[in-house]
Amino acid sequence: PGPVCKNVLDVIIIMDEQKNYLYVSPSSKEVFEFDYENMNDYEAYFNIHPDYVPLLNESYESTLTTGEPFDIDVQAHHSVRGWIWTKILGKAVYDDDQKFKHMFLIARDISKEKERENELKFYAYHDSLTNIPNRRYLRENLLQQIQHFNNTGIPFAIALLDIDDFKNINDSYGHEIGDAIIQEFASRLQQLVIDKGIVARLGGDEFVLLLDDLNIVNNIHHFEQLIHQSMQAPFTVQATHLNVTTSIGITLCDRKGLTNSLIFQTVDKALYEGKQNGKNKTVINIIKD
């Protein structure tokens, strides 16, 4: 008896206590593209990614000791497709005297399931229009940034931006062009930040930059000028040329005891003050001890 094999493309593997292959089903040729007829030539776990060998070995040994079955996801090698996600189910089989006979294993290609899982995870933390991080991703990373500051004392900055008169763009040119403007705006911000922080879309035409690069933080006035300069080139969408400007609120975070709420309140106030002073403006606040 062993785990139920429901899929004709499941690979059945039987190994002894020393992890020698006693049997590998012919389906292994289609699933993994290796020669199942000469398994004596292979060492145990020969097609398992080195990063997952310890996990598989630990699971195998645990089942040998406890008799409890295991169910793990690892990466296994396919000679054409490379490393593919594989689920391995394992169960110890005993004789009538409860003496261990062999390990019954099933290996199953779960690449499509993993791709779908990763896609769902991606869109849980990313904006569907621009593919950049969303509010949820930002909040979690902001918490980490606060903790990093508490541990190191290294300051960081957060900038809140929106597109001036974006409603007029949508009303005048339609939402398709409005969406394209949002995408281009996000792209220009990403080119500025690169690996110096995070660009996130809160929704609508609101964006946040979480900046952890000290060079930027110490030269925040220069950086905000770079943002405005990056928007000076016309946005061209479907032969329509639009001039786009942005208002920016920036908060420099340089004290312990900060919270997401306090930071967002402060940067939101800075953006509001910038709007009150006219379009294409920046207001910078500092949270210090």
Side-chain angles (χ1 to χ4, degrees), residues 172-183:
S172 301
Y173 299 97
H175 289 281
E176 184 176 351
I177 286 183
D179 285 349
I181 294 295
I182 290 289
Q183 291 170 324

PDB file of all heavy atoms in Angstrom, residues 172-183:
ATOM      1  N   SER A 172     -11.169  64.620 -21.022  1.00  0.00           N
ATOM      2  CA  SER A 172     -10.954  65.182 -22.358  1.00  0.00           C
ATOM      3  C   SER A 172     -10.545  64.139 -23.390  1.00  0.00           C
ATOM      4  O   SER A 172     -10.936  64.223 -24.566  1.00  0.00           O
ATOM      5  CB  SER A 172      -9.881  66.276 -22.304  1.00  0.00           C
ATOM      6  OG  SER A 172     -10.252  67.325 -21.424  1.00  0.00           O
ATOM      7  N   TYR A 173      -9.753  63.155 -22.966  1.00  0.00           N
ATOM      8  CA  TYR A 173      -9.176  62.217 -23.934  1.00  0.00           C
ATOM      9  C   TYR A 173      -9.646  60.779 -23.748  1.00  0.00           C
ATOM     10  O   TYR A 173      -9.360  59.926 -24.587  1.00  0.00           O
ATOM     11  CB  TYR A 173      -7.644  62.256 -23.849  1.00  0.00           C
ATOM     12  CG  TYR A 173      -7.068  63.613 -24.164  1.00  0.00           C
ATOM     13  CD1 TYR A 173      -6.735  64.512 -23.146  1.00  0.00           C
ATOM     14  CD2 TYR A 173      -6.853  64.000 -25.481  1.00  0.00           C
ATOM     15  CE1 TYR A 173      -6.199  65.754 -23.437  1.00  0.00           C
ATOM     16  CE2 TYR A 173      -6.316  65.249 -25.787  1.00  0.00           C
ATOM     17  CZ  TYR A 173      -5.993  66.128 -24.754  1.00  0.00           C
ATOM     18  OH  TYR A 173      -5.473  67.352 -25.053  1.00  0.00           O
ATOM     19  N   GLY A 174     -10.327  60.493 -22.661  1.00  0.00           N
ATOM     20  CA  GLY A 174     -10.833  59.148 -22.430  1.00  0.00           C
ATOM     21  C   GLY A 174      -9.921  58.326 -21.533  1.00  0.00           C
ATOM     22  O   GLY A 174      -8.735  58.628 -21.367  1.00  0.00           O
ATOM     23  N   HIS A 175     -10.491  57.265 -20.960  1.00  0.00           N
ATOM     24  CA  HIS A 175      -9.764  56.460 -19.976  1.00  0.00           C
ATOM     25  C   HIS A 175      -8.644  55.628 -20.601  1.00  0.00           C
ATOM     26  O   HIS A 175      -7.671  55.305 -19.916  1.00  0.00           O
ATOM     27  CB  HIS A 175     -10.740  55.547 -19.231  1.00  0.00           C
ATOM     28  CG  HIS A 175     -11.633  56.295 -18.284  1.00  0.00           C
ATOM     29  ND1 HIS A 175     -11.218  56.710 -17.040  1.00  0.00           N
ATOM     30  CD2 HIS A 175     -12.915  56.728 -18.420  1.00  0.00           C
ATOM     31  CE1 HIS A 175     -12.202  57.350 -16.425  1.00  0.00           C
ATOM     32  NE2 HIS A 175     -13.240  57.385 -17.247  1.00  0.00           N
ATOM     33  N   GLU A 176      -8.759  55.304 -21.871  1.00  0.00           N
ATOM     34  CA  GLU A 176      -7.687  54.521 -22.505  1.00  0.00           C
ATOM     35  C   GLU A 176      -6.397  55.325 -22.533  1.00  0.00           C
ATOM     36  O   GLU A 176      -5.325  54.816 -22.186  1.00  0.00           O
ATOM     37  CB  GLU A 176      -8.092  54.114 -23.921  1.00  0.00           C
ATOM     38  CG  GLU A 176      -7.063  53.213 -24.596  1.00  0.00           C
ATOM     39  CD  GLU A 176      -7.511  52.742 -25.967  1.00  0.00           C
ATOM     40  OE1 GLU A 176      -8.682  52.970 -26.319  1.00  0.00           O
ATOM     41  OE2 GLU A 176      -6.676  52.154 -26.681  1.00  0.00           O
ATOM     42  N   ILE A 177      -6.497  56.584 -22.928  1.00  0.00           N
ATOM     43  CA  ILE A 177      -5.316  57.443 -22.928  1.00  0.00           C
ATOM     44  C   ILE A 177      -4.901  57.749 -21.495  1.00  0.00           C
ATOM     45  O   ILE A 177      -3.700  57.792 -21.175  1.00  0.00           O
ATOM     46  CB  ILE A 177      -5.575  58.738 -23.728  1.00  0.00           C
ATOM     47  CG1 ILE A 177      -5.579  58.408 -25.218  1.00  0.00           C
ATOM     48  CG2 ILE A 177      -4.530  59.810 -23.410  1.00  0.00           C
ATOM     49  CD1 ILE A 177      -5.761  59.582 -26.142  1.00  0.00           C
ATOM     50  N   GLY A 178      -5.882  57.932 -20.615  1.00  0.00           N
ATOM     51  CA  GLY A 178      -5.564  58.149 -19.201  1.00  0.00           C
ATOM     52  C   GLY A 178      -4.760  57.004 -18.621  1.00  0.00           C
ATOM     53  O   GLY A 178      -3.769  57.218 -17.900  1.00  0.00           O
ATOM     54  N   ASP A 179      -5.148  55.763 -18.959  1.00  0.00           N
ATOM     55  CA  ASP A 179      -4.406  54.589 -18.466  1.00  0.00           C
ATOM     56  C   ASP A 179      -2.986  54.569 -19.031  1.00  0.00           C
ATOM     57  O   ASP A 179      -2.028  54.208 -18.328  1.00  0.00           O
ATOM     58  CB  ASP A 179      -5.129  53.295 -18.866  1.00  0.00           C
ATOM     59  CG  ASP A 179      -6.374  53.037 -18.031  1.00  0.00           C
ATOM     60  OD1 ASP A 179      -6.567  53.740 -17.013  1.00  0.00           O
ATOM     61  OD2 ASP A 179      -7.150  52.135 -18.401  1.00  0.00           O
ATOM     62  N   ALA A 180      -2.851  54.947 -20.303  1.00  0.00           N
ATOM     63  CA  ALA A 180      -1.525  54.961 -20.911  1.00  0.00           C
ATOM     64  C   ALA A 180      -0.633  56.014 -20.252  1.00  0.00           C
ATOM     65  O   ALA A 180       0.574  55.792 -20.080  1.00  0.00           O
ATOM     66  CB  ALA A 180      -1.642  55.235 -22.411  1.00  0.00           C
ATOM     67  N   ILE A 181      -1.223  57.138 -19.855  1.00  0.00           N
ATOM     68  CA  ILE A 181      -0.473  58.170 -19.143  1.00  0.00           C
ATOM     69  C   ILE A 181       0.006  57.626 -17.794  1.00  0.00           C
ATOM     70  O   ILE A 181       1.167  57.826 -17.396  1.00  0.00           O
ATOM     71  CB  ILE A 181      -1.330  59.436 -18.934  1.00  0.00           C
ATOM     72  CG1 ILE A 181      -1.648  60.099 -20.273  1.00  0.00           C
ATOM     73  CG2 ILE A 181      -0.635  60.415 -17.997  1.00  0.00           C
ATOM     74  CD1 ILE A 181      -0.451  60.634 -21.009  1.00  0.00           C
ATOM     75  N   ILE A 182      -0.885  56.918 -17.097  1.00  0.00           N
ATOM     76  CA  ILE A 182      -0.519  56.301 -15.811  1.00  0.00           C
ATOM     77  C   ILE A 182       0.656  55.352 -15.995  1.00  0.00           C
ATOM     78  O   ILE A 182       1.618  55.345 -15.207  1.00  0.00           O
ATOM     79  CB  ILE A 182      -1.728  55.544 -15.216  1.00  0.00           C
ATOM     80  CG1 ILE A 182      -2.812  56.510 -14.757  1.00  0.00           C
ATOM     81  CG2 ILE A 182      -1.297  54.640 -14.062  1.00  0.00           C
ATOM     82  CD1 ILE A 182      -2.482  57.311 -13.533  1.00  0.00           C
ATOM     83  N   GLN A 183       0.606  54.530 -17.042  1.00  0.00           N
ATOM     84  CA  GLN A 183       1.671  53.559 -17.286  1.00  0.00           C
ATOM     85  C   GLN A 183       3.004  54.247 -17.583  1.00  0.00           C
ATOM     86  O   GLN A 183       4.055  53.842 -17.079  1.00  0.00           O
ATOM     87  CB  GLN A 183       1.275  52.637 -18.439  1.00  0.00           C
ATOM     88  CG  GLN A 183       0.127  51.697 -18.097  1.00  0.00           C
ATOM     89  CD  GLN A 183      -0.400  50.958 -19.315  1.00  0.00           C
ATOM     90  OE1 GLN A 183      -0.453  51.512 -20.414  1.00  0.00           O
ATOM     91  NE2 GLN A 183      -0.818  49.712 -19.116  1.00  0.00           N
TER      92      GLN A 183
END
